[in-house]
Amino acid sequence: MLQVSSRMLRELDAQLGERHRISVNEFDVLITLDNAPDRQLRMTDLARAAMLSSGGLTRLAGRLERRGLVRRDPDPDDARAFRAVLTAAGSHALAEARITHDAIISRIVAAPLSAEEVAGLERTLGRILDGEPTSS
Amino acid sequence: MLQVSSRMLRELDAQLGERHRISVNEFDVLITLDNAPDRQLRMTDLARAAMLSSGGLTRLAGRLERRGLVRRDPDPDDARAFRAVLTAAGSHALAEARITHDAIISRIVAAPLSAEEVAGLERTLGRILDGEPTSS
DNA sequence: CAAGATTGATGACTCAATCTTT
DNA sequence: AAAGATTGAGTCATCAATCTTG
């Protein structure tokens, strides 16, 4: 599994970097924001969802903000917190990158498998995630 | 899959680092050498097997060599090449680390699954690896 | 010139310390 | 005192350039 993942990550990083100028982690942050209510999340929650340290997310969000893909608004409910918000430009960039992303996943993992195997893999991986809720 | 792998890698890195003072990449290099004929491999081949760049492996091997876990012998067949060799100390360190490694894998991936699911997962992942031979 | 290995420069991450707000 | 976010220091990876040998 680690070999498969490493291969996926390398290919994703290379292709997303070359075609869309974003890293896998940046893609992950964008897609996490896109799935969140109102397309926004507090920095801490976003860091946990994207499996990043808070310091790491601060810098990553800074990069995305400089490029206009994300905005950081002060949280109205808590003056300590900031909410990362996906901008329209971010939404657009994500849509483009998602095409590249999906093609790579299809090619690397789905291609050599039958439809039943893909379904089984999804189910099994889902059970692993549920069985071990963010233990780290 | 990427989430599962990320969780495994973080936990492996944390535990191997704390208990055995080695990183996941270092563990991977040691285990790759252990599986190789005569417990040795040319630097280039080792880098490819461990999914590292040649520059990255040079430094990693340097760290392991300083700690006596690996040796670098000139290749008798090709004066350009070096062969990384697993030492007795490296073999011993690997045996210890493997216990930690196996326990983590069992806990994170195998625990929430039935025996059939584990078998199916292994088979499916194997097919993915065979279906896409080192495309990157 | 190509291949094996190393080195220098750069980039992104983590951890720990810090500052502000709860 | 604890939580949210940022910053500084340190580590380890990659890429490109270099040196040596085939």
Side-chain angles (χ1 to χ4, degrees), chain A residues 33-55:
Chain A
L33 281 178
D34 192 52
N35 290 332
D38 289 331
R39 295 181 158 167
Q40 54 183 281
L41 232 41
R42 284 161 59 231
M43 295 292 283
T44 298
D45 298 330
L46 183 53
R48 190 168 29 239
M51 311 244 215
L52 280 171
S53 66
S54 59

Side-chain angles (χ1 to χ4, degrees), chain A residues 42-87:
Chain A
R42 284 161 59 231
M43 295 292 283
T44 298
D45 298 330
L46 183 53
R48 190 168 29 239
M51 311 244 215
L52 280 171
S53 66
S54 59
L57 178 61
T58 292
R59 283 157 175 126
L60 190 155
R63 295 196 297 274
L64 294 179
E65 194 169 35
R66 249 176 271 124
R67 298 173 51 191
L69 307 184
V70 155
R71 219 174 47 234
R72 260 176 301 194
D73 294 349
D75 186 328
D77 300 337
D78 186 338
R80 294 171 301 178
F82 278 86
R83 296 182 158 274
V85 187
L86 188 66
T87 66

Side-chain angles (χ1 to χ4, degrees), chain B residues 65-94:
Chain B
E65 195 169 36
R66 247 176 272 124
R67 298 172 51 191
L69 307 183
V70 154
R71 218 175 46 233
R72 259 177 301 194
D73 294 349
D75 186 329
D77 301 336
D78 186 339
R80 294 172 300 180
F82 279 86
R83 297 182 158 275
V85 187
L86 187 66
T87 65
S91 222
H92 185 257
L94 174 59

Side-chain angles (χ1 to χ4, degrees), chain A residues 81-102:
Chain A
F82 278 86
R83 296 182 158 274
V85 187
L86 188 66
T87 66
S91 223
H92 184 257
L94 174 60
E96 309 247 309
R98 211 192 280 253
I99 298 171
T100 298
H101 170 272
D102 291 352

